[in-house]
Amino acid sequence: MSSCGETYTMAPATGTLSGEFVRPGTRIYALFQFVGDDIQRLALRISLADIDEQFEKVIHKSLVFILRYLAKFEDHRKKLLGDVTRRLKCRPAIQIPVHELFVAYNDPECSTYLTNFSHMYIRMGYPRMPLLEQIRLLPVFLLHLTLPVIGHVTVDNCSRREMELHELPVQRRFISEFYSLVLLLPYRFERLIRFDSNDATIPDGFNAYDYSRVAHDRFSMIHSAEDLEKFKVAVVNFFSRGFFPADESILPLLFANADTRHSVVSASDRQLHILDRLVDWEDEALLTHIFDWFLGRRREFDPKVSLPPRWNAFQPKTLSELNHSKPYSSAY
């Protein structure tokens, strides 16, 4: 047998390896033997991986290859990955190749099968990563998976160096927008799968797409009002630690300061007072950005709601802050 470090190529299925090499009681090799030589060798290595370290080494090097290969074999997929998935679920300390899966997930030419399974293993693997590696992936990752992490991101030099957010303005914008949606999400929310039907009730200030980003039943990490409150406090702490410029941190903290729960409001109070003195309230770009959120993000093609439109709690708070701005005060 060749080493685990060899490079695999997609070879046609030309035969099977002898079953006598497989330990009694192992099923995974027998399931893989009809697919192809490369997969057979991987299946044999997985079956013979008696200890977690061996299993982790094979999975780390080969999981994405297996997923790409099995995209061609629809009849075998469920059986072939079943044993691998069950073993990973039973061994929470085993590391999964999250970065490689994320690259595959973002490949515009990947199949729906590869996208779905990459997402599943990313969700399984990201919480297992060391905290520093989770922090390193924050600027580019599936943001809903980062909610349990951001409350633990400290202001030490290591975290700043690993994220390098000061050099990533586009990523900062996406991160800020997503976390702002979390802060604006009402505590009485409904997890949905379809957000474009007339039965879907979209909260004030949201559009269907924004709502799906934070409340999708398959992907969202927010399962309850208690989860939401905890994540909101974590988001506030994240924006209070200087990873973002003052003019980019002020808006999420305004959202938090208008929240209905004391823990979120009190977490934002001190930093909001500090940023209030640092922000240039005459900056046209900042005012435009605030007004974009102030007016809400509903779109004409979003589902109609039966409830009349209401001002959310953020809007009166924003009005009081905008009184600092001479352009706004003179106009209104």
Side-chain angles (χ1 to χ4, degrees):
M1 290 185 293
S2 55
S3 68
C4 288
E6 75 180 51
T7 301
Y8 297 100
T9 57
M10 293 189 180
T14 57
T16 62
L17 295 177
S18 173
E20 64 188 13
F21 293 105
V22 183
R23 297 194 318 273
T26 58
R27 298 172 55 246
I28 190 169
Y29 172 71
L31 293 172
F32 274 104
Q33 63 180 335
F34 301 107
V35 180
D37 289 343
D38 297 318
I39 295 293
Q40 291 171 37
R41 289 196 292 271
L42 285 173
L44 184 58
R45 286 180 177 80
I46 293 171
S47 295
L48 295 176
D50 291 318
I51 60 176
D52 288 351
E53 288 77 7
Q54 294 174 340
F55 181 66
E56 179 180 296
K57 186 174 182 180
V58 178
I59 290 299
H60 200 80
K61 289 180 176 292
S62 310
L63 182 58
V64 174
F65 167 79
I66 292 173
L67 293 177
R68 289 188 181 279
Y69 199 101
L70 292 182
K72 298 183 176 182
F73 296 93
E74 184 173 356
D75 294 339
H76 297 276
R77 293 171 188 170
K78 190 171 183 179
K79 294 180 180 179
L80 296 179
L81 290 175
D83 281 3
V84 172
T85 303
R86 280 190 291 272
R87 187 167 177 182
L88 286 173
K89 287 181 177 179
C90 293
R91 297 289 189 272
I94 291 178
Q95 296 296 303
I96 297 173
V98 172
H99 185 271
E100 291 78 4
L101 287 164
F102 184 66
V103 172
Y105 178 87
N106 284 282
D107 184 351
E109 298 183 359
C110 74
S111 64
T112 302
Y113 160 80
L114 180 57
T115 299
N116 290 341
F117 271 87
S118 295
H119 188 275
M120 181 188 76
Y121 286 118
I122 287 170
R123 292 192 67 177
M124 189 186 302
Y126 184 73
R128 306 178 181 205
M129 300 175 71
L131 178 60
L132 192 58
E133 293 186 27
Q134 294 185 45
I135 292 172
R136 187 181 295 121
L137 288 177
L138 270 176
V140 295
F141 211 53
L142 307 173
L143 286 169
H144 60 87
L145 294 181
T146 67
L147 286 173
V149 177
I150 56 171
H152 304 288
V153 180
T154 59
V155 292
D156 58 77
N157 291 331
C158 188
S159 293
R160 292 181 187 275
R161 183 176 65 252
E162 293 298 339
M163 286 199 293
E164 296 181 340
L165 285 172
H166 62 286
E167 298 178 357
L168 302 169
V170 175
Q171 286 85 346
R172 287 204 313 271
R173 178 169 61 84
F174 284 122
I175 292 172
S176 179
E177 183 178 271
F178 176 80
Y179 290 154
S180 293
L181 293 173
V182 172
L183 291 169
L184 285 175
L185 186 65
Y187 290 99
R188 298 183 65 179
F189 66 93
E190 182 181 6
R191 290 168 61 94
L192 300 170
I193 294 178
R194 290 292 302 274
F195 294 80
D196 55 354
S197 68
N198 289 329
D199 295 333
T201 301
I202 309 300
D204 293 328
F206 279 75
N207 59 51
Y209 171 70
D210 286 343
Y211 193 33
S212 71
R213 294 176 66 188
V214 293
H216 199 291
D217 193 48
R218 291 180 180 172
F219 308 128
S220 176
M221 303 292 288
I222 308 170
H223 296 275
S224 65
E226 289 69 28
D227 284 344
L228 181 56
E229 181 179 5
K230 177 180 66 176
F231 291 147
K232 285 186 178 185
V233 172
V235 168
V236 170
N237 291 335
F238 177 74
F239 278 106
S240 300
R241 289 171 178 163
F243 294 109
F244 282 58
D247 60 338
E248 296 179 19
S249 298
I250 189 74
L251 191 57
L253 292 175
L254 279 173
F255 295 155
N257 207 244
D259 200 75
T260 57
R261 299 210 172 179
H262 175 72
S263 61
V264 182
V265 175
S266 60
S268 64
D269 264 338
R270 182 175 180 275
Q271 188 65 19
L272 189 59
H273 289 312
I274 294 173
L275 294 182
D276 189 33
R277 296 190 293 269
L278 297 177
V279 165
D280 178 10
W281 289 104
E282 317 302 321
D283 181 21
E284 185 176 344
L286 174 61
L287 295 177
T288 300
H289 187 50
I290 291 176
F291 270 112
D292 286 342
W293 285 88
F294 177 85
L295 296 174
R297 295 161 65 88
R298 299 299 300 274
R299 302 170 298 183
E300 291 183 1
F301 49 86
D302 280 328
K304 304 299 182 184
V305 296
S306 57
L307 297 175
R310 303 188 308 272
W311 277 25
N312 57 44
F314 157 68
Q315 289 174 314
K317 182 71 178 179
T318 310
L319 285 176
S320 65
E321 293 295 333
L322 286 175
N323 286 329
H324 295 299
S325 169
K326 291 181 180 178
Y328 172 83
S329 300
S330 60
Y332 297 94

mmCIF file of all heavy atoms in Angstrom, residues 310-327:
data_model
loop_
_atom_site.group_PDB
_atom_site.id
_atom_site.type_symbol
_atom_site.label_atom_id
_atom_site.label_comp_id
_atom_site.label_asym_id
_atom_site.label_seq_id
_atom_site.Cartn_x
_atom_site.Cartn_y
_atom_site.Cartn_z
ATOM 1 N N ARG A 310 -44.019 49.691 10.784
ATOM 2 C CA ARG A 310 -43.753 50.383 12.046
ATOM 3 C C ARG A 310 -42.289 50.798 12.059
ATOM 4 O O ARG A 310 -41.444 50.179 11.429
ATOM 5 C CB ARG A 310 -44.001 49.462 13.252
ATOM 6 C CG ARG A 310 -45.366 48.874 13.329
ATOM 7 C CD ARG A 310 -45.540 48.157 14.672
ATOM 8 N NE ARG A 310 -44.475 47.219 14.940
ATOM 9 C CZ ARG A 310 -44.493 45.957 14.552
ATOM 10 N NH1 ARG A 310 -45.501 45.501 13.850
ATOM 11 N NH2 ARG A 310 -43.503 45.153 14.844
ATOM 12 N N TRP A 311 -41.982 51.824 12.808
ATOM 13 C CA TRP A 311 -40.593 52.183 13.038
ATOM 14 C C TRP A 311 -40.000 51.176 14.001
ATOM 15 O O TRP A 311 -40.582 50.876 15.039
ATOM 16 C CB TRP A 311 -40.508 53.575 13.658
ATOM 17 C CG TRP A 311 -40.566 54.666 12.653
ATOM 18 C CD1 TRP A 311 -41.128 54.625 11.421
ATOM 19 C CD2 TRP A 311 -40.026 55.977 12.813
ATOM 20 N NE1 TRP A 311 -40.984 55.817 10.791
ATOM 21 C CE2 TRP A 311 -40.309 56.679 11.624
ATOM 22 C CE3 TRP A 311 -39.347 56.621 13.833
ATOM 23 C CZ2 TRP A 311 -39.926 57.984 11.429
ATOM 24 C CZ3 TRP A 311 -38.963 57.929 13.645
ATOM 25 C CH2 TRP A 311 -39.249 58.598 12.451
ATOM 26 N N ASN A 312 -38.833 50.658 13.655
ATOM 27 C CA ASN A 312 -38.169 49.823 14.641
ATOM 28 C C ASN A 312 -37.471 50.717 15.662
ATOM 29 O O ASN A 312 -37.360 51.928 15.493
ATOM 30 C CB ASN A 312 -37.181 48.847 13.977
ATOM 31 C CG ASN A 312 -36.134 49.553 13.148
ATOM 32 O OD1 ASN A 312 -35.574 50.553 13.579
ATOM 33 N ND2 ASN A 312 -35.855 49.030 11.962
ATOM 34 N N ALA A 313 -37.012 50.100 16.741
ATOM 35 C CA ALA A 313 -36.450 50.879 17.850
ATOM 36 C C ALA A 313 -35.199 51.634 17.440
ATOM 37 O O ALA A 313 -34.844 52.643 18.053
ATOM 38 C CB ALA A 313 -36.134 49.947 19.021
ATOM 39 N N PHE A 314 -34.540 51.158 16.395
ATOM 40 C CA PHE A 314 -33.302 51.799 15.964
ATOM 41 C C PHE A 314 -33.545 53.202 15.417
ATOM 42 O O PHE A 314 -32.719 54.097 15.583
ATOM 43 C CB PHE A 314 -32.632 50.921 14.902
ATOM 44 C CG PHE A 314 -31.695 51.650 13.990
ATOM 45 C CD1 PHE A 314 -30.504 52.172 14.469
ATOM 46 C CD2 PHE A 314 -32.000 51.819 12.647
ATOM 47 C CE1 PHE A 314 -29.635 52.842 13.623
ATOM 48 C CE2 PHE A 314 -31.140 52.488 11.803
ATOM 49 C CZ PHE A 314 -29.959 52.998 12.296
ATOM 50 N N GLN A 315 -34.682 53.429 14.780
ATOM 51 C CA GLN A 315 -34.888 54.697 14.081
ATOM 52 C C GLN A 315 -34.941 55.907 15.012
ATOM 53 O O GLN A 315 -34.273 56.908 14.755
ATOM 54 C CB GLN A 315 -36.135 54.594 13.206
ATOM 55 C CG GLN A 315 -35.907 53.680 12.005
ATOM 56 C CD GLN A 315 -37.159 53.436 11.202
ATOM 57 O OE1 GLN A 315 -38.212 53.154 11.762
ATOM 58 N NE2 GLN A 315 -37.050 53.546 9.894
ATOM 59 N N PRO A 316 -35.720 55.893 16.103
ATOM 60 C CA PRO A 316 -35.660 57.045 17.016
ATOM 61 C C PRO A 316 -34.271 57.272 17.592
ATOM 62 O O PRO A 316 -33.842 58.416 17.774
ATOM 63 C CB PRO A 316 -36.667 56.670 18.114
ATOM 64 C CG PRO A 316 -37.589 55.695 17.474
ATOM 65 C CD PRO A 316 -36.750 54.927 16.509
ATOM 66 N N LYS A 317 -33.560 56.179 17.886
ATOM 67 C CA LYS A 317 -32.202 56.315 18.407
ATOM 68 C C LYS A 317 -31.304 57.001 17.385
ATOM 69 O O LYS A 317 -30.484 57.859 17.725
ATOM 70 C CB LYS A 317 -31.648 54.922 18.749
ATOM 71 C CG LYS A 317 -30.253 54.940 19.346
ATOM 72 C CD LYS A 317 -30.280 55.492 20.747
ATOM 73 C CE LYS A 317 -28.897 55.473 21.369
ATOM 74 N NZ LYS A 317 -28.897 56.036 22.731
ATOM 75 N N THR A 318 -31.477 56.645 16.118
ATOM 76 C CA THR A 318 -30.657 57.244 15.070
ATOM 77 C C THR A 318 -30.957 58.725 14.914
ATOM 78 O O THR A 318 -30.055 59.540 14.697
ATOM 79 C CB THR A 318 -30.914 56.529 13.730
ATOM 80 O OG1 THR A 318 -30.799 55.133 13.928
ATOM 81 C CG2 THR A 318 -29.906 56.965 12.694
ATOM 82 N N LEU A 319 -32.221 59.079 15.025
ATOM 83 C CA LEU A 319 -32.586 60.492 14.909
ATOM 84 C C LEU A 319 -31.869 61.336 15.952
ATOM 85 O O LEU A 319 -31.373 62.426 15.660
ATOM 86 C CB LEU A 319 -34.101 60.646 15.063
ATOM 87 C CG LEU A 319 -34.961 60.215 13.873
ATOM 88 C CD1 LEU A 319 -36.435 60.330 14.229
ATOM 89 C CD2 LEU A 319 -34.646 61.067 12.651
ATOM 90 N N SER A 320 -31.792 60.827 17.177
ATOM 91 C CA SER A 320 -31.126 61.597 18.225
ATOM 92 C C SER A 320 -29.635 61.726 17.947
ATOM 93 O O SER A 320 -29.031 62.772 18.202
ATOM 94 C CB SER A 320 -31.354 60.936 19.586
ATOM 95 O OG SER A 320 -30.748 59.659 19.637
ATOM 96 N N GLU A 321 -29.022 60.668 17.401
ATOM 97 C CA GLU A 321 -27.596 60.737 17.091
ATOM 98 C C GLU A 321 -27.331 61.668 15.912
ATOM 99 O O GLU A 321 -26.316 62.365 15.864
ATOM 100 C CB GLU A 321 -27.054 59.334 16.780
ATOM 101 C CG GLU A 321 -27.053 58.386 17.966
ATOM 102 C CD GLU A 321 -26.106 58.833 19.062
ATOM 103 O OE1 GLU A 321 -25.113 59.515 18.748
ATOM 104 O OE2 GLU A 321 -26.366 58.514 20.234
ATOM 105 N N LEU A 322 -28.240 61.679 14.942
ATOM 106 C CA LEU A 322 -28.038 62.515 13.763
ATOM 107 C C LEU A 322 -28.145 64.003 14.079
ATOM 108 O O LEU A 322 -27.750 64.842 13.267
ATOM 109 C CB LEU A 322 -29.052 62.141 12.678
ATOM 110 C CG LEU A 322 -28.788 60.816 11.959
ATOM 111 C CD1 LEU A 322 -29.919 60.505 10.997
ATOM 112 C CD2 LEU A 322 -27.461 60.845 11.225
ATOM 113 N N ASN A 323 -28.670 64.332 15.234
ATOM 114 C CA ASN A 323 -28.706 65.740 15.626
ATOM 115 C C ASN A 323 -27.309 66.312 15.816
ATOM 116 O O ASN A 323 -27.124 67.530 15.841
ATOM 117 C CB ASN A 323 -29.512 65.903 16.923
ATOM 118 C CG ASN A 323 -31.000 65.752 16.676
ATOM 119 O OD1 ASN A 323 -31.495 66.093 15.604
ATOM 120 N ND2 ASN A 323 -31.715 65.238 17.668
ATOM 121 N N HIS A 324 -26.300 65.408 15.947
ATOM 122 C CA HIS A 324 -24.912 65.871 16.018
ATOM 123 C C HIS A 324 -24.448 66.424 14.677
ATOM 124 O O HIS A 324 -23.450 67.140 14.612
ATOM 125 C CB HIS A 324 -23.984 64.715 16.409
ATOM 126 C CG HIS A 324 -24.223 64.186 17.787
ATOM 127 N ND1 HIS A 324 -24.095 64.947 18.919
ATOM 128 C CD2 HIS A 324 -24.584 62.947 18.215
ATOM 129 C CE1 HIS A 324 -24.358 64.209 19.987
ATOM 130 N NE2 HIS A 324 -24.660 62.989 19.583
ATOM 131 N N SER A 325 -25.138 66.038 13.616
ATOM 132 C CA SER A 325 -24.681 66.384 12.273
ATOM 133 C C SER A 325 -25.279 67.708 11.824
ATOM 134 O O SER A 325 -26.501 67.859 11.755
ATOM 135 C CB SER A 325 -25.076 65.266 11.295
ATOM 136 O OG SER A 325 -24.877 65.671 9.975
ATOM 137 N N LYS A 326 -24.431 68.664 11.488
ATOM 138 C CA LYS A 326 -24.918 69.952 11.004
ATOM 139 C C LYS A 326 -25.651 69.828 9.673
ATOM 140 O O LYS A 326 -26.698 70.455 9.482
ATOM 141 C CB LYS A 326 -23.749 70.934 10.879
ATOM 142 C CG LYS A 326 -23.167 71.359 12.222
ATOM 143 C CD LYS A 326 -22.027 72.341 12.032
ATOM 144 C CE LYS A 326 -21.451 72.756 13.389
ATOM 145 N NZ LYS A 326 -20.304 73.687 13.224
ATOM 146 N N PRO A 327 -25.146 69.022 8.703
ATOM 147 C CA PRO A 327 -25.899 68.874 7.448
ATOM 148 C C PRO A 327 -27.302 68.332 7.680
ATOM 149 O O PRO A 327 -28.270 68.793 7.080
ATOM 150 C CB PRO A 327 -25.041 67.897 6.637
ATOM 151 C CG PRO A 327 -23.667 68.074 7.166
ATOM 152 C CD PRO A 327 -23.838 68.354 8.624
#
